[in-house]
Amino acid sequence: MRYQMSLTAAIIVCALASASLADPLQKPSQIAPGSHREASHHVMYLHHRHILDHSHVLHDHAMHHATQHTAIDPKTAITHSDEIRRQLNAAKSQVKELEASLTASEQAEAKKHVEVMRSQHAEADKHQTELNAEVAKAKPDAAKIAEQTAAVQRAVTTANAAHAAMMKSQGVTPPKTATDTSVVVKK
């Protein structure tokens, strides 16, 4: 009898503990913090951010050389162009992974956002291909590099906005980055 009572009590405690972990106000479409899908959204966010960072650096570098009428360093241009390509390819594959992880109702809700991301990634891909062709030349034109990197930035910014809307609809907050957090040193 004692054994049955303690077993029943243990079951009740476990049930109450697991019930308290679930947020009753959480929408069913919200993604649990720390889940694989939340991590996928964060990876996509970071891919977009890296593309924007590298294209911004290359754009500023090219603008400097274009205004000074000097030759741009091909090694620097190739390094950033290759990184933009790598991050863009990773972002495109991440869209596929995110879409595959959605339920049918979530796919219907996110369809518009996914289409915008795909079309903007294709646009960025087109401009990045032209950028690669320009930096591969013996004497790359800094003005053309600046033009192509600006076009990549516009396309990825639009894709990032669509992804941010998708994250918001699914209850995912963007990841914190070094610029978002402050480090406090205790003495």
Side-chain angles (χ1 to χ4, degrees):
M1 182 74 175
R2 257 186 179 174
Y3 175 74
Q4 288 177 336
M5 289 181 70
S6 60
L7 182 62
T8 304
I11 291 172
I12 291 172
V13 168
C14 288
L16 289 175
S18 65
S20 67
L21 293 177
D23 183 4
L25 301 176
Q26 184 179 19
K27 293 186 338 188
S29 66
Q30 283 185 323
I31 297 172
S35 68
H36 174 70
R37 198 149 27 124
E38 181 189 51
S40 293
H41 277 292
H42 287 183
V43 168
M44 171 66 83
Y45 177 87
L46 293 173
H47 285 312
H48 284 158
R49 189 147 180 177
H50 288 230
I51 294 167
L52 291 171
D53 288 345
H54 283 280
S55 61
H56 183 73
V57 167
L58 186 53
H59 180 265
D60 286 352
H61 187 65
M63 286 300 292
H64 169 76
H65 286 284
T67 57
Q68 298 296 316
H69 303 291
T70 57
I72 191 166
D73 178 30
K75 185 177 179 185
T76 302
I78 289 170
T79 300
H80 287 290
S81 180
D82 289 347
E83 188 59 25
I84 292 168
R85 163 65 56 211
R86 191 176 74 75
Q87 292 293 332
L88 189 56
N89 288 340
K92 289 192 300 187
S93 68
Q94 195 67 33
V95 169
K96 292 176 188 171
E97 184 180 320
L98 273 174
E99 192 175 28
S101 71
L102 298 175
T103 63
S105 63
E106 290 171 333
Q107 280 182 352
E109 187 178 311
K111 182 179 180 181
K112 180 180 79 173
H113 303 305
V114 171
E115 287 174 0
V116 169
M117 283 190 286
R118 282 201 172 128
S119 69
Q120 292 304 310
H121 286 165
E123 185 72 19
D125 193 33
K126 180 184 89 171
H127 291 292
Q128 201 287 325
T129 301
E130 293 174 17
L131 174 64
N132 265 358
E134 188 60 39
V135 300
K137 293 179 179 175
K139 290 185 86 178
D141 182 6
K144 288 182 181 176
I145 291 173
E147 180 184 325
Q148 294 306 322
T149 53
V152 168
Q153 287 176 4
R154 284 190 301 273
V156 173
T157 299
T158 305
N160 198 34
H163 180 243
M166 182 179 172
M167 285 195 308
K168 186 176 181 178
S169 73
Q170 294 183 357
V172 177
T173 57
K176 292 190 182 230
T177 61
T179 57
D180 298 335
T181 59
S182 61
V183 178
V184 178
V185 178
K186 294 182 180 179
K187 292 183 179 184

PDB file of all heavy atoms in Angstrom, residues 55-56 58-64 66 72 84 123-124 126-128 130-132 134-135 141-155:
ATOM      1  N   SER A  55      30.168  42.440 -47.648  1.00  0.00           N
ATOM      2  CA  SER A  55      29.854  43.310 -48.784  1.00  0.00           C
ATOM      3  C   SER A  55      30.025  44.779 -48.402  1.00  0.00           C
ATOM      4  O   SER A  55      30.459  45.586 -49.224  1.00  0.00           O
ATOM      5  CB  SER A  55      28.454  43.024 -49.328  1.00  0.00           C
ATOM      6  OG  SER A  55      27.476  43.267 -48.350  1.00  0.00           O
ATOM      7  N   HIS A  56      29.726  45.103 -47.159  1.00  0.00           N
ATOM      8  CA  HIS A  56      29.915  46.490 -46.704  1.00  0.00           C
ATOM      9  C   HIS A  56      31.406  46.854 -46.688  1.00  0.00           C
ATOM     10  O   HIS A  56      31.785  47.935 -47.154  1.00  0.00           O
ATOM     11  CB  HIS A  56      29.306  46.669 -45.316  1.00  0.00           C
ATOM     12  CG  HIS A  56      29.392  48.068 -44.799  1.00  0.00           C
ATOM     13  ND1 HIS A  56      28.618  49.094 -45.282  1.00  0.00           N
ATOM     14  CD2 HIS A  56      30.195  48.623 -43.856  1.00  0.00           C
ATOM     15  CE1 HIS A  56      28.923  50.211 -44.659  1.00  0.00           C
ATOM     16  NE2 HIS A  56      29.883  49.959 -43.781  1.00  0.00           N
ATOM     17  N   LEU A  58      33.843  45.456 -48.436  1.00  0.00           N
ATOM     18  CA  LEU A  58      34.330  45.523 -49.811  1.00  0.00           C
ATOM     19  C   LEU A  58      33.800  46.766 -50.529  1.00  0.00           C
ATOM     20  O   LEU A  58      34.518  47.408 -51.290  1.00  0.00           O
ATOM     21  CB  LEU A  58      33.950  44.247 -50.572  1.00  0.00           C
ATOM     22  CG  LEU A  58      34.515  44.100 -51.978  1.00  0.00           C
ATOM     23  CD1 LEU A  58      36.034  44.273 -51.999  1.00  0.00           C
ATOM     24  CD2 LEU A  58      34.136  42.734 -52.549  1.00  0.00           C
ATOM     25  N   HIS A  59      32.555  47.129 -50.260  1.00  0.00           N
ATOM     26  CA  HIS A  59      31.972  48.322 -50.864  1.00  0.00           C
ATOM     27  C   HIS A  59      32.736  49.568 -50.421  1.00  0.00           C
ATOM     28  O   HIS A  59      33.099  50.415 -51.255  1.00  0.00           O
ATOM     29  CB  HIS A  59      30.493  48.442 -50.484  1.00  0.00           C
ATOM     30  CG  HIS A  59      29.825  49.635 -51.072  1.00  0.00           C
ATOM     31  ND1 HIS A  59      29.699  50.831 -50.384  1.00  0.00           N
ATOM     32  CD2 HIS A  59      29.269  49.845 -52.285  1.00  0.00           C
ATOM     33  CE1 HIS A  59      29.087  51.708 -51.150  1.00  0.00           C
ATOM     34  NE2 HIS A  59      28.808  51.134 -52.302  1.00  0.00           N
ATOM     35  N   ASP A  60      32.985  49.701 -49.130  1.00  0.00           N
ATOM     36  CA  ASP A  60      33.722  50.865 -48.633  1.00  0.00           C
ATOM     37  C   ASP A  60      35.136  50.911 -49.209  1.00  0.00           C
ATOM     38  O   ASP A  60      35.630  51.977 -49.581  1.00  0.00           O
ATOM     39  CB  ASP A  60      33.784  50.852 -47.109  1.00  0.00           C
ATOM     40  CG  ASP A  60      32.457  51.209 -46.468  1.00  0.00           C
ATOM     41  OD1 ASP A  60      31.527  51.611 -47.193  1.00  0.00           O
ATOM     42  OD2 ASP A  60      32.354  51.079 -45.229  1.00  0.00           O
ATOM     43  N   HIS A  61      35.768  49.748 -49.276  1.00  0.00           N
ATOM     44  CA  HIS A  61      37.117  49.655 -49.830  1.00  0.00           C
ATOM     45  C   HIS A  61      37.107  50.068 -51.309  1.00  0.00           C
ATOM     46  O   HIS A  61      37.961  50.845 -51.752  1.00  0.00           O
ATOM     47  CB  HIS A  61      37.628  48.219 -49.669  1.00  0.00           C
ATOM     48  CG  HIS A  61      39.052  48.010 -50.051  1.00  0.00           C
ATOM     49  ND1 HIS A  61      40.102  48.591 -49.369  1.00  0.00           N
ATOM     50  CD2 HIS A  61      39.609  47.284 -51.045  1.00  0.00           C
ATOM     51  CE1 HIS A  61      41.235  48.226 -49.924  1.00  0.00           C
ATOM     52  NE2 HIS A  61      40.970  47.430 -50.945  1.00  0.00           N
ATOM     53  N   ALA A  62      36.144  49.593 -52.051  1.00  0.00           N
ATOM     54  CA  ALA A  62      36.043  49.922 -53.475  1.00  0.00           C
ATOM     55  C   ALA A  62      35.711  51.400 -53.671  1.00  0.00           C
ATOM     56  O   ALA A  62      36.257  52.042 -54.578  1.00  0.00           O
ATOM     57  CB  ALA A  62      34.989  49.042 -54.143  1.00  0.00           C
ATOM     58  N   MET A  63      34.834  51.940 -52.845  1.00  0.00           N
ATOM     59  CA  MET A  63      34.490  53.359 -52.954  1.00  0.00           C
ATOM     60  C   MET A  63      35.710  54.238 -52.699  1.00  0.00           C
ATOM     61  O   MET A  63      35.909  55.251 -53.375  1.00  0.00           O
ATOM     62  CB  MET A  63      33.365  53.732 -51.979  1.00  0.00           C
ATOM     63  CG  MET A  63      32.006  53.211 -52.408  1.00  0.00           C
ATOM     64  SD  MET A  63      31.469  53.833 -54.011  1.00  0.00           S
ATOM     65  CE  MET A  63      31.198  55.543 -53.635  1.00  0.00           C
ATOM     66  N   HIS A  64      36.516  53.854 -51.728  1.00  0.00           N
ATOM     67  CA  HIS A  64      37.735  54.611 -51.449  1.00  0.00           C
ATOM     68  C   HIS A  64      38.634  54.644 -52.684  1.00  0.00           C
ATOM     69  O   HIS A  64      39.115  55.706 -53.090  1.00  0.00           O
ATOM     70  CB  HIS A  64      38.477  54.006 -50.259  1.00  0.00           C
ATOM     71  CG  HIS A  64      39.856  54.549 -50.076  1.00  0.00           C
ATOM     72  ND1 HIS A  64      40.093  55.801 -49.547  1.00  0.00           N
ATOM     73  CD2 HIS A  64      41.070  54.035 -50.380  1.00  0.00           C
ATOM     74  CE1 HIS A  64      41.387  56.021 -49.537  1.00  0.00           C
ATOM     75  NE2 HIS A  64      42.009  54.960 -50.027  1.00  0.00           N
ATOM     76  N   ALA A  66      37.767  54.010 -55.788  1.00  0.00           N
ATOM     77  CA  ALA A  66      37.091  54.667 -56.917  1.00  0.00           C
ATOM     78  C   ALA A  66      37.221  56.187 -56.817  1.00  0.00           C
ATOM     79  O   ALA A  66      37.446  56.857 -57.832  1.00  0.00           O
ATOM     80  CB  ALA A  66      35.621  54.267 -56.963  1.00  0.00           C
ATOM     81  N   ILE A  72      42.373  48.869 -56.881  1.00  0.00           N
ATOM     82  CA  ILE A  72      41.959  48.127 -55.703  1.00  0.00           C
ATOM     83  C   ILE A  72      42.847  46.887 -55.563  1.00  0.00           C
ATOM     84  O   ILE A  72      43.273  46.301 -56.562  1.00  0.00           O
ATOM     85  CB  ILE A  72      40.459  47.744 -55.784  1.00  0.00           C
ATOM     86  CG1 ILE A  72      39.957  47.214 -54.442  1.00  0.00           C
ATOM     87  CG2 ILE A  72      40.190  46.768 -56.903  1.00  0.00           C
ATOM     88  CD1 ILE A  72      38.449  47.154 -54.352  1.00  0.00           C
ATOM     89  N   ILE A  84      31.598  36.239 -49.432  1.00  0.00           N
ATOM     90  CA  ILE A  84      30.197  36.556 -49.757  1.00  0.00           C
ATOM     91  C   ILE A  84      29.565  35.357 -50.460  1.00  0.00           C
ATOM     92  O   ILE A  84      28.443  34.956 -50.138  1.00  0.00           O
ATOM     93  CB  ILE A  84      30.104  37.831 -50.632  1.00  0.00           C
ATOM     94  CG1 ILE A  84      30.519  39.061 -49.831  1.00  0.00           C
ATOM     95  CG2 ILE A  84      28.696  38.000 -51.196  1.00  0.00           C
ATOM     96  CD1 ILE A  84      30.735  40.306 -50.676  1.00  0.00           C
ATOM     97  N   GLU A 123      18.802  37.091 -56.635  1.00  0.00           N
ATOM     98  CA  GLU A 123      19.264  38.413 -57.070  1.00  0.00           C
ATOM     99  C   GLU A 123      20.679  38.691 -56.561  1.00  0.00           C
ATOM    100  O   GLU A 123      21.549  39.145 -57.302  1.00  0.00           O
ATOM    101  CB  GLU A 123      18.294  39.492 -56.561  1.00  0.00           C
ATOM    102  CG  GLU A 123      18.604  40.880 -57.034  1.00  0.00           C
ATOM    103  CD  GLU A 123      18.292  41.101 -58.499  1.00  0.00           C
ATOM    104  OE1 GLU A 123      17.522  40.325 -59.087  1.00  0.00           O
ATOM    105  OE2 GLU A 123      18.839  42.067 -59.062  1.00  0.00           O
ATOM    106  N   ALA A 124      20.915  38.391 -55.293  1.00  0.00           N
ATOM    107  CA  ALA A 124      22.254  38.580 -54.715  1.00  0.00           C
ATOM    108  C   ALA A 124      23.265  37.665 -55.405  1.00  0.00           C
ATOM    109  O   ALA A 124      24.403  38.059 -55.647  1.00  0.00           O
ATOM    110  CB  ALA A 124      22.226  38.301 -53.214  1.00  0.00           C
ATOM    111  N   LYS A 126      23.164  36.644 -58.494  1.00  0.00           N
ATOM    112  CA  LYS A 126      23.462  37.217 -59.808  1.00  0.00           C
ATOM    113  C   LYS A 126      24.511  38.325 -59.683  1.00  0.00           C
ATOM    114  O   LYS A 126      25.501  38.348 -60.425  1.00  0.00           O
ATOM    115  CB  LYS A 126      22.175  37.772 -60.437  1.00  0.00           C
ATOM    116  CG  LYS A 126      22.363  38.394 -61.812  1.00  0.00           C
ATOM    117  CD  LYS A 126      21.079  38.989 -62.326  1.00  0.00           C
ATOM    118  CE  LYS A 126      21.018  40.409 -61.842  1.00  0.00           C
ATOM    119  NZ  LYS A 126      19.958  41.225 -62.388  1.00  0.00           N
ATOM    120  N   HIS A 127      24.314  39.208 -58.723  1.00  0.00           N
ATOM    121  CA  HIS A 127      25.259  40.311 -58.542  1.00  0.00           C
ATOM    122  C   HIS A 127      26.605  39.814 -58.011  1.00  0.00           C
ATOM    123  O   HIS A 127      27.647  40.365 -58.369  1.00  0.00           O
ATOM    124  CB  HIS A 127      24.679  41.365 -57.606  1.00  0.00           C
ATOM    125  CG  HIS A 127      23.532  42.105 -58.225  1.00  0.00           C
ATOM    126  ND1 HIS A 127      23.690  42.959 -59.291  1.00  0.00           N
ATOM    127  CD2 HIS A 127      22.213  42.094 -57.937  1.00  0.00           C
ATOM    128  CE1 HIS A 127      22.523  43.456 -59.628  1.00  0.00           C
ATOM    129  NE2 HIS A 127      21.602  42.941 -58.824  1.00  0.00           N
ATOM    130  N   GLN A 128      26.589  38.779 -57.210  1.00  0.00           N
ATOM    131  CA  GLN A 128      27.838  38.241 -56.692  1.00  0.00           C
ATOM    132  C   GLN A 128      28.627  37.565 -57.803  1.00  0.00           C
ATOM    133  O   GLN A 128      29.850  37.643 -57.833  1.00  0.00           O
ATOM    134  CB  GLN A 128      27.555  37.260 -55.548  1.00  0.00           C
ATOM    135  CG  GLN A 128      28.713  37.024 -54.611  1.00  0.00           C
ATOM    136  CD  GLN A 128      29.804  36.189 -55.204  1.00  0.00           C
ATOM    137  OE1 GLN A 128      29.556  35.273 -55.984  1.00  0.00           O
ATOM    138  NE2 GLN A 128      31.039  36.487 -54.841  1.00  0.00           N
ATOM    139  N   GLU A 130      28.615  38.547 -60.945  1.00  0.00           N
ATOM    140  CA  GLU A 130      29.213  39.674 -61.659  1.00  0.00           C
ATOM    141  C   GLU A 130      30.384  40.256 -60.861  1.00  0.00           C
ATOM    142  O   GLU A 130      31.394  40.664 -61.450  1.00  0.00           O
ATOM    143  CB  GLU A 130      28.159  40.745 -61.933  1.00  0.00           C
ATOM    144  CG  GLU A 130      27.099  40.289 -62.922  1.00  0.00           C
ATOM    145  CD  GLU A 130      25.966  41.285 -63.088  1.00  0.00           C
ATOM    146  OE1 GLU A 130      26.136  42.471 -62.690  1.00  0.00           O
ATOM    147  OE2 GLU A 130      24.913  40.889 -63.596  1.00  0.00           O
ATOM    148  N   LEU A 131      30.244  40.274 -59.545  1.00  0.00           N
ATOM    149  CA  LEU A 131      31.331  40.742 -58.677  1.00  0.00           C
ATOM    150  C   LEU A 131      32.549  39.840 -58.816  1.00  0.00           C
ATOM    151  O   LEU A 131      33.675  40.323 -58.957  1.00  0.00           O
ATOM    152  CB  LEU A 131      30.857  40.790 -57.228  1.00  0.00           C
ATOM    153  CG  LEU A 131      31.881  41.126 -56.154  1.00  0.00           C
ATOM    154  CD1 LEU A 131      32.415  42.544 -56.343  1.00  0.00           C
ATOM    155  CD2 LEU A 131      31.262  40.971 -54.781  1.00  0.00           C
ATOM    156  N   ASN A 132      32.327  38.531 -58.797  1.00  0.00           N
ATOM    157  CA  ASN A 132      33.436  37.571 -58.964  1.00  0.00           C
ATOM    158  C   ASN A 132      34.135  37.775 -60.304  1.00  0.00           C
ATOM    159  O   ASN A 132      35.359  37.699 -60.383  1.00  0.00           O
ATOM    160  CB  ASN A 132      32.925  36.133 -58.873  1.00  0.00           C
ATOM    161  CG  ASN A 132      33.068  35.568 -57.494  1.00  0.00           C
ATOM    162  OD1 ASN A 132      33.569  36.212 -56.591  1.00  0.00           O
ATOM    163  ND2 ASN A 132      32.602  34.350 -57.324  1.00  0.00           N
ATOM    164  N   GLU A 134      34.365  40.506 -61.976  1.00  0.00           N
ATOM    165  CA  GLU A 134      35.113  41.768 -61.945  1.00  0.00           C
ATOM    166  C   GLU A 134      36.404  41.636 -61.130  1.00  0.00           C
ATOM    167  O   GLU A 134      37.452  42.110 -61.547  1.00  0.00           O
ATOM    168  CB  GLU A 134      34.244  42.893 -61.368  1.00  0.00           C
ATOM    169  CG  GLU A 134      34.858  44.263 -61.476  1.00  0.00           C
ATOM    170  CD  GLU A 134      35.143  44.696 -62.902  1.00  0.00           C
ATOM    171  OE1 GLU A 134      34.321  44.413 -63.801  1.00  0.00           O
ATOM    172  OE2 GLU A 134      36.195  45.322 -63.116  1.00  0.00           O
ATOM    173  N   VAL A 135      36.329  40.987 -59.960  1.00  0.00           N
ATOM    174  CA  VAL A 135      37.542  40.874 -59.134  1.00  0.00           C
ATOM    175  C   VAL A 135      38.552  39.905 -59.735  1.00  0.00           C
ATOM    176  O   VAL A 135      39.733  39.957 -59.393  1.00  0.00           O
ATOM    177  CB  VAL A 135      37.239  40.491 -57.666  1.00  0.00           C
ATOM    178  CG1 VAL A 135      36.366  41.532 -57.015  1.00  0.00           C
ATOM    179  CG2 VAL A 135      36.643  39.114 -57.534  1.00  0.00           C
ATOM    180  N   ASP A 141      37.809  47.022 -61.776  1.00  0.00           N
ATOM    181  CA  ASP A 141      37.277  48.388 -61.709  1.00  0.00           C
ATOM    182  C   ASP A 141      36.596  48.577 -60.352  1.00  0.00           C
ATOM    183  O   ASP A 141      35.598  47.920 -60.040  1.00  0.00           O
ATOM    184  CB  ASP A 141      36.282  48.609 -62.848  1.00  0.00           C
ATOM    185  CG  ASP A 141      35.725  50.019 -62.886  1.00  0.00           C
ATOM    186  OD1 ASP A 141      36.196  50.870 -62.087  1.00  0.00           O
ATOM    187  OD2 ASP A 141      34.843  50.271 -63.715  1.00  0.00           O
ATOM    188  N   ALA A 142      37.139  49.478 -59.542  1.00  0.00           N
ATOM    189  CA  ALA A 142      36.627  49.697 -58.188  1.00  0.00           C
ATOM    190  C   ALA A 142      35.176  50.179 -58.202  1.00  0.00           C
ATOM    191  O   ALA A 142      34.377  49.794 -57.349  1.00  0.00           O
ATOM    192  CB  ALA A 142      37.518  50.691 -57.456  1.00  0.00           C
ATOM    193  N   ALA A 143      34.813  51.005 -59.176  1.00  0.00           N
ATOM    194  CA  ALA A 143      33.439  51.509 -59.253  1.00  0.00           C
ATOM    195  C   ALA A 143      32.443  50.377 -59.521  1.00  0.00           C
ATOM    196  O   ALA A 143      31.355  50.343 -58.940  1.00  0.00           O
ATOM    197  CB  ALA A 143      33.327  52.581 -60.332  1.00  0.00           C
ATOM    198  N   LYS A 144      32.815  49.450 -60.390  1.00  0.00           N
ATOM    199  CA  LYS A 144      31.936  48.305 -60.668  1.00  0.00           C
ATOM    200  C   LYS A 144      31.824  47.398 -59.453  1.00  0.00           C
ATOM    201  O   LYS A 144      30.752  46.851 -59.169  1.00  0.00           O
ATOM    202  CB  LYS A 144      32.441  47.520 -61.879  1.00  0.00           C
ATOM    203  CG  LYS A 144      32.231  48.245 -63.193  1.00  0.00           C
ATOM    204  CD  LYS A 144      32.688  47.416 -64.361  1.00  0.00           C
ATOM    205  CE  LYS A 144      32.498  48.175 -65.667  1.00  0.00           C
ATOM    206  NZ  LYS A 144      33.020  47.428 -66.812  1.00  0.00           N
ATOM    207  N   ILE A 145      32.915  47.231 -58.727  1.00  0.00           N
ATOM    208  CA  ILE A 145      32.889  46.420 -57.505  1.00  0.00           C
ATOM    209  C   ILE A 145      31.959  47.068 -56.481  1.00  0.00           C
ATOM    210  O   ILE A 145      31.141  46.397 -55.856  1.00  0.00           O
ATOM    211  CB  ILE A 145      34.308  46.234 -56.941  1.00  0.00           C
ATOM    212  CG1 ILE A 145      35.122  45.328 -57.870  1.00  0.00           C
ATOM    213  CG2 ILE A 145      34.272  45.648 -55.531  1.00  0.00           C
ATOM    214  CD1 ILE A 145      36.583  45.208 -57.504  1.00  0.00           C
ATOM    215  N   ALA A 146      32.063  48.387 -56.333  1.00  0.00           N
ATOM    216  CA  ALA A 146      31.189  49.106 -55.398  1.00  0.00           C
ATOM    217  C   ALA A 146      29.728  48.964 -55.805  1.00  0.00           C
ATOM    218  O   ALA A 146      28.849  48.759 -54.955  1.00  0.00           O
ATOM    219  CB  ALA A 146      31.593  50.578 -55.338  1.00  0.00           C
ATOM    220  N   GLU A 147      29.464  49.034 -57.092  1.00  0.00           N
ATOM    221  CA  GLU A 147      28.092  48.907 -57.603  1.00  0.00           C
ATOM    222  C   GLU A 147      27.525  47.511 -57.312  1.00  0.00           C
ATOM    223  O   GLU A 147      26.384  47.377 -56.859  1.00  0.00           O
ATOM    224  CB  GLU A 147      28.107  49.175 -59.106  1.00  0.00           C
ATOM    225  CG  GLU A 147      26.769  49.074 -59.787  1.00  0.00           C
ATOM    226  CD  GLU A 147      26.887  49.251 -61.293  1.00  0.00           C
ATOM    227  OE1 GLU A 147      27.734  50.048 -61.746  1.00  0.00           O
ATOM    228  OE2 GLU A 147      26.130  48.571 -62.010  1.00  0.00           O
ATOM    229  N   GLN A 148      28.313  46.481 -57.555  1.00  0.00           N
ATOM    230  CA  GLN A 148      27.845  45.106 -57.344  1.00  0.00           C
ATOM    231  C   GLN A 148      27.670  44.790 -55.855  1.00  0.00           C
ATOM    232  O   GLN A 148      26.716  44.120 -55.472  1.00  0.00           O
ATOM    233  CB  GLN A 148      28.792  44.100 -57.999  1.00  0.00           C
ATOM    234  CG  GLN A 148      28.825  44.186 -59.515  1.00  0.00           C
ATOM    235  CD  GLN A 148      27.449  44.081 -60.142  1.00  0.00           C
ATOM    236  OE1 GLN A 148      26.600  43.330 -59.704  1.00  0.00           O
ATOM    237  NE2 GLN A 148      27.225  44.869 -61.187  1.00  0.00           N
ATOM    238  N   THR A 149      28.586  45.289 -55.027  1.00  0.00           N
ATOM    239  CA  THR A 149      28.444  45.023 -53.592  1.00  0.00           C
ATOM    240  C   THR A 149      27.231  45.755 -53.023  1.00  0.00           C
ATOM    241  O   THR A 149      26.546  45.222 -52.146  1.00  0.00           O
ATOM    242  CB  THR A 149      29.715  45.410 -52.808  1.00  0.00           C
ATOM    243  OG1 THR A 149      30.065  46.756 -53.112  1.00  0.00           O
ATOM    244  CG2 THR A 149      30.865  44.471 -53.120  1.00  0.00           C
ATOM    245  N   ALA A 150      26.936  46.945 -53.534  1.00  0.00           N
ATOM    246  CA  ALA A 150      25.732  47.663 -53.091  1.00  0.00           C
ATOM    247  C   ALA A 150      24.477  46.888 -53.483  1.00  0.00           C
ATOM    248  O   ALA A 150      23.516  46.803 -52.710  1.00  0.00           O
ATOM    249  CB  ALA A 150      25.708  49.064 -53.683  1.00  0.00           C
ATOM    250  N   ALA A 151      24.479  46.306 -54.673  1.00  0.00           N
ATOM    251  CA  ALA A 151      23.330  45.506 -55.120  1.00  0.00           C
ATOM    252  C   ALA A 151      23.177  44.248 -54.261  1.00  0.00           C
ATOM    253  O   ALA A 151      22.051  43.852 -53.914  1.00  0.00           O
ATOM    254  CB  ALA A 151      23.499  45.127 -56.587  1.00  0.00           C
ATOM    255  N   VAL A 152      24.282  43.626 -53.903  1.00  0.00           N
ATOM    256  CA  VAL A 152      24.237  42.453 -53.008  1.00  0.00           C
ATOM    257  C   VAL A 152      23.652  42.871 -51.666  1.00  0.00           C
ATOM    258  O   VAL A 152      22.789  42.182 -51.107  1.00  0.00           O
ATOM    259  CB  VAL A 152      25.640  41.812 -52.840  1.00  0.00           C
ATOM    260  CG1 VAL A 152      25.639  40.801 -51.711  1.00  0.00           C
ATOM    261  CG2 VAL A 152      26.102  41.169 -54.130  1.00  0.00           C
ATOM    262  N   GLN A 153      24.101  43.998 -51.153  1.00  0.00           N
ATOM    263  CA  GLN A 153      23.589  44.488 -49.863  1.00  0.00           C
ATOM    264  C   GLN A 153      22.089  44.729 -49.906  1.00  0.00           C
ATOM    265  O   GLN A 153      21.366  44.346 -48.974  1.00  0.00           O
ATOM    266  CB  GLN A 153      24.293  45.786 -49.463  1.00  0.00           C
ATOM    267  CG  GLN A 153      25.710  45.616 -49.012  1.00  0.00           C
ATOM    268  CD  GLN A 153      26.381  46.951 -48.729  1.00  0.00           C
ATOM    269  OE1 GLN A 153      25.760  48.009 -48.795  1.00  0.00           O
ATOM    270  NE2 GLN A 153      27.665  46.896 -48.418  1.00  0.00           N
ATOM    271  N   ARG A 154      21.601  45.347 -50.979  1.00  0.00           N
ATOM    272  CA  ARG A 154      20.161  45.608 -51.089  1.00  0.00           C
ATOM    273  C   ARG A 154      19.365  44.302 -51.103  1.00  0.00           C
ATOM    274  O   ARG A 154      18.347  44.171 -50.407  1.00  0.00           O
ATOM    275  CB  ARG A 154      19.851  46.415 -52.350  1.00  0.00           C
ATOM    276  CG  ARG A 154      20.202  47.882 -52.253  1.00  0.00           C
ATOM    277  CD  ARG A 154      19.662  48.677 -53.429  1.00  0.00           C
ATOM    278  NE  ARG A 154      20.165  48.218 -54.720  1.00  0.00           N
ATOM    279  CZ  ARG A 154      21.295  48.630 -55.275  1.00  0.00           C
ATOM    280  NH1 ARG A 154      22.051  49.503 -54.659  1.00  0.00           N
ATOM    281  NH2 ARG A 154      21.669  48.171 -56.455  1.00  0.00           N
ATOM    282  N   ALA A 155      19.831  43.334 -51.878  1.00  0.00           N
ATOM    283  CA  ALA A 155      19.102  42.062 -51.981  1.00  0.00           C
ATOM    284  C   ALA A 155      19.121  41.305 -50.651  1.00  0.00           C
ATOM    285  O   ALA A 155      18.079  40.791 -50.211  1.00  0.00           O
ATOM    286  CB  ALA A 155      19.718  41.198 -53.089  1.00  0.00           C
TER     287      ALA A 155
END
